[in-house]
Amino acid sequence: MIALKCGVAGVGYLGQHHARLYAALPQTELVGVYDVDARRAKKIAAEHGTRVFSSLEELGAACDAVSVVAPTDYHCAVAQTLLAQGCHLLIEKPLCSNLEEAEIILAAAKQHERIVQVGHIEHFNPVMSFLEKNVTDPRFITCDRLAPFKQRGLEVSVVLDLMIHDIGVILQLVKSPLERVDAVGVEVLTKTEDIANARLTFANGCVANINASRVSLKPVREIRVFQSNAYLSLNFAEQKGHLIRKTKLGLRKKNVPIEKGEPLALELAAFAEAIQTRVAPKVDGQLGKTALEVALQVTAKIKESAAKGK
């Protein structure tokens, strides 16, 4: 199969890894990069022996597919430009900043008959593959996603920056309508929430409790799932964990057999495969929009809780 001609729009901290993997994967060819910071674009292009494009339009015209790794508030404009050029897109999470922009992106993708995949990377973590096979009737889920403070992703709150990862994972595992959202959050170092807690209640009775922080001393990415026959505790970062089952002799614990892999490489390979086979990606634009909608409900509840506390 002919390699897809791929590009990257935005080669900051995360975009540089998209470029690295497009250059390395057998099913993709890194055609070039674009960034508003010309010096940065030149540096990343030189590392992979590719070219720098002077505009999004030029990048789009040369590519079959592009990763959009710009700040969230630019996603909609960048996506529209590249879709008009006929590119399939992988848009880093969150899909965009609001539901109106999400509708614009999805409508443009439909108009131009192009695939939009959203970069909810944990869906391609081998841990998620194990969860999808073993979580059958979740009753209670807890997620902790903590990260040290960094000077990036600050155009959105911690809910859209970090918690949205776990929102997407939970929606995929529970597969039931969301009935209630409760949430609290606080500002610490920025003008939006840096620490947040959300409680999601689903129609089937499942409850999920999510903690997110971007002002922690050490990173944590963990999930625990409780169901009638088992308790699963898994670490997304270390790609390991354990499963406890109830047997006639009592509780039995065993380590989870996970074949480790780089989630971003798996995500980009799946993106390429979706384009080449013309099948819907695992995390399509609609799922990205749904996760965004829930994340926005969480931020609205945080504002409501803060207003009540005054």
Side-chain angles (χ1 to χ4, degrees), residues 158-159 163 181-187 193-199 209-212 297-309:
V158 71
V159 177
M163 185 183 285
V181 175
D182 296 287
V184 293
V186 294
E187 302 167 11
E193 300 82 34
D194 296 307
I195 300 174
N197 168 264
R199 184 180 178 89
N209 189 66
I210 317 172
N211 294 308
Q297 288 182 55
V298 170
T299 58
K301 283 292 182 179
I302 289 174
K303 290 180 173 61
E304 183 182 313
S305 298
K308 289 179 179 179

Side-chain angles (χ1 to χ4, degrees), residues 239-251:
Q239 297 182 12
K240 67 180 184 180
H242 58 264
L243 168 66
I244 297 176
R245 288 192 184 277
K246 182 180 178 181
T247 69
K248 293 180 180 179
L249 300 177
L251 297 180

Side-chain angles (χ1 to χ4, degrees), residues 35-95:
D35 198 290
V36 292
D37 183 343
R39 183 178 298 180
R40 175 69 179 178
K42 185 176 180 180
K43 176 181 182 297
I44 299 303
E47 289 177 2
H48 303 294
T50 192
R51 64 173 291 193
V52 175
F53 288 91
S54 60
S55 69
L56 282 173
E57 288 82 1
E58 288 186 4
L59 175 70
C63 294
D64 302 313
V66 176
S67 283
V68 177
V69 205
T72 303
D73 40 4
Y74 291 97
H75 282 186
C76 185
V78 172
Q80 287 184 85
T81 297
L82 293 170
L83 287 168
Q85 293 290 326
C87 295
H88 301 281
L89 301 182
L90 191 154
I91 304 176
E92 267 302 337
K93 64 80 206 160
L95 174 60

Side-chain angles (χ1 to χ4, degrees), residues 278-295:
R278 300 299 292 179
V279 299
K282 182 178 183 181
V283 185
D284 61 11
Q286 186 57 51
L287 193 154
K289 179 191 169 188
T290 302
L292 173 64
E293 184 175 9
V294 175

Side-chain angles (χ1 to χ4, degrees), residues 82-135:
L82 293 170
L83 287 168
Q85 293 290 326
C87 295
H88 301 281
L89 301 182
L90 191 154
I91 304 176
E92 267 302 337
K93 64 80 206 160
L95 174 60
C96 49
S97 299
N98 56 67
L99 294 179
E100 291 77 17
E101 290 183 344
E103 290 288 358
I104 290 171
I105 293 172
L106 297 186
K110 183 176 181 180
Q111 176 189 347
H112 296 290
E113 299 182 336
R114 290 297 178 264
I115 285 173
V116 168
Q117 180 171 314
V118 186
H120 284 263
I121 194 169
E122 298 292 32
H123 286 258
F124 298 91
N125 191 310
V127 165
M128 187 62 176
S129 298
F130 180 85
L131 287 168
E132 288 172 329
K133 292 175 183 176
N134 289 274
V135 174

Side-chain angles (χ1 to χ4, degrees), residues 6-24:
C6 297
V8 183
V11 285
Y13 174 79
L14 184 55
Q16 66 180 331
H17 295 295
H18 282 251
R20 169 179 62 85
L21 289 166
Y22 280 140

Side-chain angles (χ1 to χ4, degrees), residues 198-256:
R199 184 180 178 89
L200 310 182
T201 304
F202 294 87
N204 66 357
C206 182
V207 175
N209 189 66
I210 317 172
N211 294 308
S213 169
R214 58 185 178 191
V215 289
S216 297
L217 290 177
K218 62 179 182 179
V220 174
R221 290 158 52 200
E222 296 177 346
I223 184 171
R224 288 164 292 282
V225 182
F226 300 81
Q227 56 189 28
S228 59
N229 65 340
Y231 157 52
L232 301 91
S233 177
L234 294 135
N235 186 313
F236 280 107
E238 298 179 5
Q239 297 182 12
K240 67 180 184 180
H242 58 264
L243 168 66
I244 297 176
R245 288 192 184 277
K246 182 180 178 181
T247 69
K248 293 180 180 179
L249 300 177
L251 297 180
R252 181 181 178 186
K253 176 182 174 181
K254 69 173 184 177
N255 291 330
V256 170

